[in-house]
Amino acid sequence: MTAFHYDALPGRVVFGAGCSTRQLEPELQALGARRVLLVVAEQERALADKLIAPLGTRVAATFTDVRQHVPQATVERVLAAARAADADAVLSIGGGSTTGTAKAVALRTSLPIVAVPTTYAGSEMTPIWGMTAGGRKTTGRDLAVLPKTVLYDPDLTLSLPSSITVSSAFNAIAHCVEALYGPGANPITSLVAVEGIRALAAGLVPVVTDLHDSAARSDLLYGAYLAGTAFAAAGSGLHHTICHVLGGAFDLPHAPTHAVVLPHVAAFNEPAVPDMRRAARALGSDSMADGLAALAAATDAPTSLRELGMPQDGVEEAVRVIMQKDLSGNPRPLTEGDVRAILGAALAGRPAAVEAYATAAPTR
């Protein structure tokens, strides 16, 4: 067995259908929360209102101005709301952008977060924060932003539209794939990541056929939980670097961008990551790139950055910014030309294939 280290992160997880209605108040009580700031996107306000009804005056204020990629202006507004309410805890109900907004408060104030995710973003399981200013997305790692408690209720995802379900699930799969080769990758993160991929794949195809398949929804949420856990310990790599640059520079939708870019980064890195073949078998394939392509075809996942709004001339700007990042930890050395090839293929929506990068830099 290869020597490794693994840092288990603190936090409590409550998983089960209906747990958000049964357990939300007791979990806040356990944290001693008396003046809660609710963070929720406007489109999920009705759902949140039902969940918080038993809390009464415990919810001191509500912030609904959630924006993807957490712009700096949003950070300032949510911090002002927390201060005005004299909040002693933050309750996040929603997807990754909502969790990210709550994390912005915790980063500056160290207030505890209780997260109730309604998508498969996985941010609720990580100590990673992200904010955008001046067209650039900055990320960091701080235990202060890791939610103290996460309530995973599959019932809350039953109304998630197909397009959001698919792209969000691919976002979760991206966390699993990066956990196979991130800077902190180890046998434990790989084990969790492979099981996460299996659960996500098992849930995604039937959900596309029946959005109200509760068993499949449970598989997806379970897989998303595992994905966030693995990613939190292993850390991010090339794929997330690319997606964060694209999101910050062009305001591309977060989860669909992951769905488009992931097969191409997987195809590039696959020859240098032995665990990727084992993980690919969870997709019923001998190749991660091929397995992802088949899953995308079966679920009508997005495949082109152009369709998401990226301009043709945006590739060069993105390459320039990406090459300014520290990519030395990638399992396979890559050049400016390699990054350009990955982005060009993703922009055009060309099929991802390991053979397309055969002439790139050799594996380490």
Side-chain angles (χ1 to χ4, degrees), residues 89-111:
V90 184
L91 171 60
S92 167
I93 301 177
S97 296
T98 303
T99 306
T101 304
K103 285 183 172 184
V105 177
L107 183 66
R108 301 283 186 89
T109 66
S110 295
L111 291 180

Side-chain angles (χ1 to χ4, degrees), residues 137-161:
K137 187 168 185 176
T138 302
T139 61
R141 189 179 181 93
D142 194 314
L143 280 176
V145 308
L146 181 68
K148 301 297 184 186
T149 304
V150 181
L151 300 175
Y152 282 109
D153 186 347
D155 286 352
L156 301 185
T157 65
L158 292 174
S159 61
L160 204 61

Side-chain angles (χ1 to χ4, degrees), residues 47-66:
L47 168 65
D49 284 345
K50 291 181 181 179
L51 293 181
I52 66 172
L55 302 181
T57 58
R58 194 186 297 271
V59 178
T62 299
F63 182 85
T64 62
D65 190 18
V66 173

